[in-house]
Amino acid sequence: MGTALVYDEEMTRYKLLWLDPDCEIERPERLTSSHEALLQSGLATRCVSIPVRQATDTEILLIHSQEYLEAVKKTPYMTLQDLQQFTQLYGAVYFHPNSYHCATLAVGAALQLVDGVLTGTVRNGIALVRPPGHHSMRSAASGFCIFNNVAIATKYAQKKYGVQRVLIVDWDIHHGQGVQYAFEDDPSVLYFSWHRYEHQKFWPELRDSDYDSVGKDKGLGFNINVPWNKVGMENSDYLAAFFHVLLPVAYEFCPDLVIVCAGFDSAVGDPEGEMCATPDIFAHLTHLLMNLAGGKLCAVLEGGYNLTSLGQSVCATVQTLLGDPAPRPADLQSPSQSALESIHCVRAAHRNFWSSFQHSPAAPPSEVSTKRVKREEKDERTQRGGATDSEDAVTWPEPQKRRPPPVRTAAVIPEDASCPDGCRRFNISQREDFSNDSTGASLTALVGKMEKNEICNGLALVSDVSTAMAAVIQHASALKQRVLVVCVGGTRIQSHMPEDGTTLTVHFNKEVLEEPRCKYYIPVHLKRGFGDVSGFTQATLGLLLPIAYQYDPGLVLLAQAPSKDRPSSSCWQQLVGLLLGLAQARVLVLLREGHEAFIGPTASSLTGTPAPSLGQVGASQAEDFEALDGLRRRLQVDWKLLRTSVQEHEDEDN
Ligand code: Q9C
Ligand code: ZN
């Protein structure tokens, strides 16, 4: 199951033909240099090339009006003067005699990608296209966009393949108002967008882009806007929006297909976005979406205007789609106050629509809410004169090369058991082992190979999980690696866990355990166990992942302790899949003898197969929910990525 790359040089063959400072950043080089970056890094050859095609009129009419299509169709025959005049009808867009042709190819590229993914030719993919699409509306071009590539692709997937629910994630730094307008009354399409907003002072300066545009009629709750009211948002702000807004809703929604409006003007160095998230963050954003919809993910290029940042971001995305481990999310700070305020407001605005937010506070935190701030004249800061000089000043380190180990998944299993698909058997045989504990020896040898980047991850079937865990932890700390221990079930963890920060233990349990002993031991009480999907998602997305990302382990140890209550296989696979975003996917899973049924599903997830969907998630029992949220609130002092609002820790500085 491969990754598609849909690209054609033809889409570089149009450009701005007159002077227009607003439009000059949208250049052919955006595409050539992104494609070049994929070739240079060797990623392009690992993808399955899918040719573009022209979209038909019927396809374009899935979203656009006949009148608009007819008008655009005339542009190839216009004089320069006519083109300029036609352009003036719309905002921040230009036309060239070849624009219409390229626009049909951009739509067609998105449709080819949807075909590839929904016929099963590929698992996922990216379409590198110009012109972008998410600003264009039923009867209007806007913001460099002519036809709404992603909106058309969404309707096409629903009509041609009977796909029911589509999640559109718009991580471009502009609000895709065209996508919002296309689906705002449609509950079968969940649209999520974050965007630079600055209290409505940033283009397209729409009241509709604020957090309180939540959808209409039957589509109430299916439009989610996260307005960024300050520039300079960082990795932790983006991750917080994923953990505390997008992902809980996405899991509850349970899409059949994910389409990403993949604009990279949200990355550092971009002259439009002026944000500070690094290109590597797209590896994580991509990874976090890859266990939804059985992995069916289509990324379609939107914006991105700093060619260096754009190329790096495209590569980070594609390498993750290909299944390579994501780089470590080093040094995450607390989300900023402004970001937390936005996140708080979105959760409050959606509390009646999504059970994940039903216990969120109703009111926006304070007077300084983002809501209904009157537009004022642009202040000097936003009124940057001419071509930005700040742009050249922004620098960031080149992303580290991601070299996946030669062996993906090792299995330490009894010699008479068959090796699961895609795994390499890894056993130190009794003959070679002098310690009389061949499993322990195999495990420490395996951890050594993971450390040396020879093996990425592994699973082991052990007779005693605690002993095996102790052996692994001891060995890992000798290697000076922070270890995240995630323990599912069992009653109590032995006190051999160091509490000095070299390991962090998160222990999910059905029984009531004691309060956290220290910052590094976190018992999580899941009353109805890991079989309960809503408890699982709340605990995993809202609690475990933020803590784990902030901790940034060098190794993840996932252990299934002896317990009557076993997680459902799909929850377990989701957990494994999500944890692979940490520690460069160095995840070691310990399964207990008697739980052989988990070997296959665990191996499948470790080797990169997307986890099965959990089904549409219903409301969690309030009791469970409040207990988990209470735990989150207590822990957020130490683990700042757990924060979902500004109010809960006003007195602290940040
Ligand atoms: N003074 C995309 O990223 N800027 N479009 C207008 C007006 C328009 C961005 C500035 C930015 C359009 C796909
Ligand atoms: Zn954009």
Side-chain angles (χ1 to χ4, degrees):
M1 282 292 266
T3 293
L5 174 58
V6 194
Y7 173 68
D8 196 297
E9 229 178 55
E10 177 63 15
M11 287 179 286
T12 66
R13 301 198 183 105
Y14 78 93
K15 62 176 187 189
L16 179 64
L17 294 175
W18 51 83
L19 280 176
D20 180 349
D22 279 352
C23 291
E24 65 191 12
I25 55 173
E26 205 296 293
R27 305 181 296 163
E29 292 77 18
R30 296 181 53 238
L31 230 49
T32 47
S33 73
S34 304
H35 189 240
E36 191 58 35
L38 288 175
L39 289 168
Q40 288 287 327
S41 57
L43 294 169
T45 52
R46 294 173 58 193
C47 293
V48 178
S49 266
I50 294 186
V52 305
R53 67 171 172 89
Q54 282 194 276
T56 64
D57 286 2
T58 317
E59 289 161 348
I60 292 168
L61 294 171
L62 286 170
I63 290 290
H64 298 282
S65 69
Q66 185 86 52
E67 301 74 45
Y68 176 63
L69 174 58
E70 295 309 323
V72 175
K73 273 187 175 182
K74 295 198 180 102
T75 58
Y77 311 100
M78 289 182 183
T79 63
L80 193 62
Q81 229 184 2
D82 290 346
L83 281 172
Q84 260 182 295
Q85 203 184 358
F86 182 66
T87 292
Q88 315 254 287
L89 294 172
Y90 310 111
V93 67
Y94 64 90
F95 282 84
H96 174 283
N98 201 32
S99 289
Y100 165 65
H101 182 229
C102 291
T104 63
L105 293 178
V107 175
L111 302 185
Q112 290 282 82
L113 178 55
V114 165
D115 280 331
V117 167
L118 291 181
T119 58
T121 311
V122 289
R123 171 179 296 156
N124 57 32
I126 191 167
L128 293 183
V129 302
R130 279 177 79 236
H134 71 154
H135 296 304
S136 96
M137 291 159 279
R138 182 175 149 79
S139 295
S142 167
F144 317 145
C145 302
I146 297 177
F147 298 136
N148 201 311
N149 310 320
V150 163
I152 296 168
T154 300
K155 285 262 194 223
Y156 176 83
Q158 293 183 313
K159 274 196 78 162
K160 180 163 175 188
Y161 295 95
V163 162
Q164 290 186 357
R165 289 178 302 280
V166 181
L167 167 66
I168 302 177
V169 177
D170 190 337
W171 71 45
D172 186 281
I173 206 57
H174 301 94
H175 181 218
Q177 83 277 35
V179 183
Q180 171 169 313
Y181 296 148
F183 300 111
E184 59 190 344
D185 61 357
D186 183 349
S188 72
V189 179
L190 172 59
Y191 178 61
F192 170 93
S193 173
W194 64 38
H195 35 269
R196 180 171 170 185
Y197 189 59
E198 296 178 295
H199 302 289
Q200 211 185 318
K201 283 188 198 127
F202 189 71
W203 189 90
E205 302 173 25
L206 301 171
R207 180 66 187 82
D208 296 344
S209 309
D210 214 344
Y211 62 83
D212 56 353
S213 290
V214 296
K216 299 190 162 140
D217 306 324
K218 286 204 166 101
L220 268 175
F222 295 88
N223 192 86
I224 303 185
N225 285 332
V226 180
W228 298 131
N229 287 314
K230 290 218 159 84
V231 296
M233 293 299 166
E234 298 184 356
N235 290 350
S236 53
D237 301 307
Y238 287 5
L239 286 173
F242 262 51
F243 293 143
H244 300 305
V245 181
L246 173 60
L247 293 175
V249 173
Y251 273 86
E252 208 173 321
F253 179 64
C254 191
D256 305 302
L257 175 66
V258 178
I259 306 187
V260 180
C261 285
F264 298 100
D265 41 16
S266 41
V268 65
D270 192 278
E272 277 285 311
E274 296 187 63
M275 298 300 176
C276 294
T278 59
D280 276 351
I281 200 62
F282 296 102
H284 291 283
L285 303 185
T286 304
H287 179 87
L288 289 167
L289 298 175
M290 280 172 68
N291 288 295
L292 292 159
K296 295 192 289 291
L297 189 158
C298 299
V300 181
L301 182 68
E302 298 281 358
Y305 307 100
N306 176 313
L307 300 185
T308 309
S309 179
L310 173 61
Q312 291 172 352
S313 302
V314 167
C315 287
T317 303
V318 171
Q319 191 162 5
T320 306
L321 290 175
L322 284 163
D324 285 1
R328 283 174 61 171
D331 243 346
L332 292 168
Q333 309 297 307
S334 168
S336 70
Q337 292 300 307
S338 176
L340 288 172
E341 191 177 296
S342 299
I343 288 167
H344 178 115
C345 289
V346 192
R347 287 170 55 104
H350 280 274
R351 67 196 293 274
N352 292 330
F353 309 122
W354 300 100
S355 73
S356 318
F357 304 147
Q358 69 193 346
H359 299 274
S360 293
S366 63
E367 295 302 305
V368 287
S369 146
T370 54
K371 205 172 172 187
R372 284 179 236 283
V373 171
K374 282 238 179 61
R375 276 202 60 202
E376 299 148 31
E377 286 309 300
K378 297 213 170 199
D379 57 42
E380 274 145 60
R381 203 184 51 77
T382 48
Q383 213 173 43
R384 309 184 325 247
T388 54
D389 22 45
S390 58
E391 182 187 340
D392 312 304
V394 181
T395 59
W396 62 97
E398 180 145 349
Q400 64 194 86
K401 291 263 176 305
R402 292 155 64 180
R403 291 184 312 100
V407 175
R408 170 81 185 199
T409 304
V412 180
I413 44 170
E415 310 208 347
D416 55 346
S418 66
C419 189
D421 283 352
C423 297
R424 180 79 61 89
R425 185 186 289 276
F426 188 86
N427 285 51
I428 305 277
S429 72
Q430 320 261 293
R431 270 178 293 112
E432 296 167 68
D433 173 49
F434 307 105
S435 68
N436 248 346
D437 169 22
S438 63
T439 306
S442 300
L443 284 174
T444 44
L446 176 52
V447 169
K449 296 231 179 237
M450 288 165 73
E451 162 77 13
K452 279 190 260 167
N453 214 39
E454 290 169 20
I455 296 176
C456 182
N457 55 36
L459 66 88
L461 193 68
V462 300
S463 53
D464 179 351
V465 171
S466 296
T467 312
M469 214 152 68
V472 171
I473 289 167
Q474 199 177 35
H475 195 66
S477 44
L479 296 169
K480 301 228 181 319
Q481 286 292 358
R482 281 195 299 278
V483 186
L484 169 67
V485 180
V486 180
C487 205
V488 177
T491 39
R492 196 175 242 286
I493 306 241
Q494 271 65 8
S495 47
H496 57 59
M497 289 302 182
E499 294 185 349
D500 57 358
T502 56
T503 71
L504 164 65
T505 306
V506 178
H507 188 180
F508 293 107
N509 208 289
K510 232 175 151 173
E511 320 299 323
V512 181
L513 297 166
E514 72 269 55
E515 276 294 289
R517 288 199 290 267
C518 77
K519 179 178 171 184
Y520 299 103
Y521 178 77
I522 301 171
V524 181
H525 176 217
L526 280 178
K527 223 176 82 207
R528 282 165 307 141
F530 245 28
D532 167 46
V533 172
S534 62
F536 164 82
T537 53
Q538 191 196 354
T540 304
L541 305 170
L543 213 54
L544 173 61
L545 288 183
I547 294 172
Y549 268 73
Q550 188 142 26
Y551 182 63
D552 182 27
L555 174 71
V556 177
L557 186 56
L558 172 60
Q560 210 176 43
S563 153
K564 275 163 282 159
D565 174 57
R566 297 177 195 186
S568 77
S569 159
S570 44
C571 281
W572 179 255
Q573 286 182 279
Q574 285 288 346
L575 179 62
V576 175
L578 289 165
L579 287 173
L580 288 172
L582 299 152
Q584 298 172 285
R586 287 176 185 151
V587 176
L588 178 54
V589 182
L590 301 180
L591 299 169
R592 192 174 155 266
E593 278 170 12
H595 288 196
E596 280 80 359
F598 279 89
I599 294 178
T602 304
S604 157
S605 293
L606 287 175
T607 53
T609 310
S613 293
L614 300 176
Q616 278 183 283
V617 181
S620 185
Q621 270 171 18
E623 230 183 307
D624 232 353
F625 202 100
E626 277 175 27
L628 283 171
D629 200 54
L631 179 60
R632 186 194 59 73
R633 277 199 304 272
R634 289 196 295 284
L635 292 169
Q636 68 184 347
V637 181
D638 291 321
W639 302 101
K640 297 186 162 54
L641 217 42
L642 290 174
R643 293 174 175 179
T644 60
S645 80
V646 284
Q647 209 169 33
E648 295 159 315
H649 53 90
E650 273 164 344
D651 41 347
E652 280 170 67
D653 79 84
N654 174 21

